[in-house]
């Protein structure tokens, strides 16, 4: 499984250079405007040259992007990749003039540069030549490697060019079935974040086409934008799925949600549907049912393959620079063949998906979001600075992170211990799913907010602040303190914090600390954290009058040290509910003046001991630089 983790890192790296492709598509589309009538006759040529330049230098872009992606923006690796490409181009242009650098070559040299950086960045040489050690050794090594590699390619240039063209012909022999198989595998690999690897083969390697300028381009995507009339079969069939099928699933999930949850689910999944329709980002919808109904996801993958087969049989050719969303559909329509057929096919696809998923959700009682136990998806972009520290805690803290990257829809992590991650907390904090690839490689799917989350987490890691994180003291539902039916607590006269409505009669410690007070009736307990915060846990409202062991039983003593999740008090849930004003259980910090900033997780269902439900940043003494 560590091998899978390394592949997903490569898949993320491959996405980095692809972010430049939409610019080329936009340039080509804008070139179609009547610039001569606007008094700018040269603008069309400028735009066409700009788009052509991006595709011409695509191998260099891939080499640089993959090297940076594999090394978390290691500048030495990026420099080595570019130098390697220059060496390769110079040698092959002289000895094999017909050999053009391909994306495959750029990818290979980028991988070599990235791996070399990881291997040699800490290299120690004898002191008198240590100048060439460490990161400075990487460009030197890659230069010599590329020199030998280029000599090898020169001697095999004709055979390799023939092989790439033959590969395209072999794939084309598979016809519609080959396109179906690609569509099915593509959707399955989305689960693991590896779909970029199979796409890279078909989009940038399969088939060759000689442009009007006389140079060869390879792969479905560059050939499509270069004007190849046979390119686009491995992209066109994705449009009906992304523009119509996934939004239809989102609509089915909205309509099958409980009435009381429909407003929130409607907001969340309307945005997810628009994201898929406009930009082709599908994970927020797909991960809403992947984990609760994996068999349904397999059906979805099969249908996606069949749709691609159908578009291929109808002779539909279309392409995209980023993904198969409406924006790319419109921008690149001028290069498509029978592209208009995608709309009626997409409408039929959407109808089929909508009724299929509504039937499946009801028939098999699938707990999609908005139903009894649905996974959580939330719209919370404004809360990212506040939730990022909680997400960091749920991952296991900064000490658990070996490496943290992000792509369009997910955090890609390597952690020391997967056991230290709180998956339930991550789901409550907005994660659509958590995928374990083995070897400490983990993906947390947050949708298109992933990069923003990573940036905020890095800020949290680098800040020199003292923080205290809280676990849930009971199983039930977390509510704002303002909803507690007691003016003393709701008015924050005792202190600030949160409250809980329990559904089990157990109170556990939310922090590491010491028991400093247990009330005689045992309905409340006070804790002192290692940082000096005084935490009050008060079970129910107006429960101080409930005397007797039939109500509350403390299992710890004053002065005892406790850990997060350790049982403090057992209580008879039904009797307390019957004989008290409310089961609302506040958890407040009574010396709140020592808190500089508060961060709360979403107010929803929580499990006993669940991490990352609240965190606080402590004030620091200006005179001594110590926590007061």
């Amino acid at each position: 499984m560590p091998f899978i983790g390394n592949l997903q890192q490569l898949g993320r790296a491959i996405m980095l250079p692809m972010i430049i492709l939409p610019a080329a598509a936009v340039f080509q589309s804008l070139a179609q405007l009547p610039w001569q009538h606007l008094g700018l006759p040269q603008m069309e040529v400028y735009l066409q040259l700009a788009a052509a330049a991006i595709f011409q230098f695509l191998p260099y872009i891939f080499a640089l992007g993959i090297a940076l992606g594999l090394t978390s923006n290691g500048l030495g690796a990026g420099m080595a990749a570019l130098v390697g490409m220059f060496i390769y181009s110079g040698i092959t242009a002289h000895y094999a003039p017909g050999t053009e650098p391909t994306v495959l070559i750029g990818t290979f040299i980028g991988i070599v540069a990235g791996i070399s950086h990881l291997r040699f960045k800490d290299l120690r040489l004898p002191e008198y030549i240590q100048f060439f050690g460490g990161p400075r050794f990487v460009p030197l090594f890659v230069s010599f490697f590329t020199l030998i590699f280029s000599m090898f390619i020169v001697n095999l240039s004709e055979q390799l060019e023939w092989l790439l063209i033959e590969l395209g012909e072999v794939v084309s022999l598979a016809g519609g079935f080959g396109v179906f198989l690609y569509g099915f595998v593509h959707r399955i690999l989305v689960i693991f974040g590896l779909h970029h690897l199979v796409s890279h083969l078909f989009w940038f390697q399969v088939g060759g086409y000689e442009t009007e300028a006389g140079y060869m381009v390879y792969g479905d995507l560059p050939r499509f934008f270069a004007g190849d009339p046979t390119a686009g079969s491995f992209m066109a069939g994705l449009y009906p799925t992304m523009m119509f099928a996934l939004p239809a699933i989102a609509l089915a999930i909205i309509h099958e949600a409980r009435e009381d949850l429909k407003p929130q689910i409607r907001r969340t999944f309307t945005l997810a549907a628009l994201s898929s329709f406009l930009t082709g980002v599908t994970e927020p919808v797909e991960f809403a049912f992947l984990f609760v109904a994996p068999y349904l996801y397999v059906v979805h993958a099969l249908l996606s393959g069949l749709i691609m087969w159908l578009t291929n049989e109808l002779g539909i050719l279309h392409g995209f620079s980023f993904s198969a969303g409406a924006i790319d559909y419109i921008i690149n329509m001028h290069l498509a063949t029978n592209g208009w057929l995608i709309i009626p096919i997409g409408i039929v696809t959407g109808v089929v998906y909508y009724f299929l998923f509504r039937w499946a959700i009801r028939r098999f009682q699938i707990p999609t979001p908005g139903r009894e136990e649905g996974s959580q998806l939330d719209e919370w972009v404004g809360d990212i600075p506040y939730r990022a520290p909680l997400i960091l805690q749920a991952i296991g803290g900064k000490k658990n992170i070996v490496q943290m990257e992000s792509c369009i829809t997910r955090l890609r992590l390597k952690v020391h211990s997967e056991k230290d991650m709180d998956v339930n907390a991550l789901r409550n904090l907005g994660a659509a799913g958590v995928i374990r690839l083995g070897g400490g490689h983990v993906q947390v799917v947050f949708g298109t907010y992933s990069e923003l989350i990573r940036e905020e987490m890095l800020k949290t890691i680098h800040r020199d602040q003292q923080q205290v994180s809280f676990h849930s003291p009971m199983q039930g539902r977390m509510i704002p303190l303002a909803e507690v039916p007691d003016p003393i607590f709701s008015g924050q006269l005792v202190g600030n914090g949160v409250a809980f409505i329990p559904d089990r009669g157990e109170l556990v410690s939310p922090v590491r600390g010491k028991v400093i007070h247990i009330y005689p009736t045992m309905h409340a307990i006070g804790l002192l954290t290692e940082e000096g915060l005084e935490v009050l846990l008060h079970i129910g409202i107006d429960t101080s009058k409930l005397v007797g062991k039939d109500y509350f039983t403390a299992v710890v003593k004053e002065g005892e040290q406790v850990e997060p999740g350790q049982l403090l008090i057992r209580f008879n849930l039904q009797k307390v509910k019957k004989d008290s004003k409310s089961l609302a259980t506040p958890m407040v910090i009574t010396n709140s003046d020592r808190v500089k900033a508060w961060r709360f997780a979403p107010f929803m269902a929580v499990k006993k001991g669940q991490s990352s439900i609240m965190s606080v940043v402590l004030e620091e003494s200006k005179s001594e630089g110590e926590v007061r």
Side-chain angles (χ1 to χ4, degrees), residues 83 132 174 176 184 281 290 312 347 453 513 528 553 565 605-606:
V83 169
F132 297 105
F184 173 74
V281 175
L290 167 63
N312 182 74
I347 292 172
I453 293 170
L528 179 66
T553 303
V606 292

Side-chain angles (χ1 to χ4, degrees), residues 14-29 50-59 61-62 103 199-200 203-204 220-223 225 235 319-323 328 331-332:
I14 287 175
M15 276 300 296
L16 183 60
M18 291 184 66
I19 62 176
I20 194 61
L21 292 177
V26 171
F27 289 155
Q28 283 200 342
S29 180
I54 291 176
F55 284 108
Q56 183 177 354
F57 292 103
L58 203 56
I61 296 170
F62 266 80
V103 172
S199 296
H200 187 270
W203 293 350
F204 296 103
D220 208 39
L221 192 151
R223 289 192 293 115
F225 285 101
M235 295 181 285
F320 47 77
S321 58
F322 171 69
S323 191
D328 256 305
I331 288 176
N332 302 315

Side-chain angles (χ1 to χ4, degrees), residues 4-16 66 69-70 107 110-111 193-194 196-197 412:
I4 300 297
N6 293 331
L7 282 181
Q8 65 100 13
Q9 174 72 3
L10 176 59
R12 191 206 72 84
I14 287 175
M15 276 300 296
L16 183 60
I66 289 174
L70 288 175
T107 300
I111 292 172
L194 302 178
H196 307 308
L197 298 179
R412 297 174 183 261

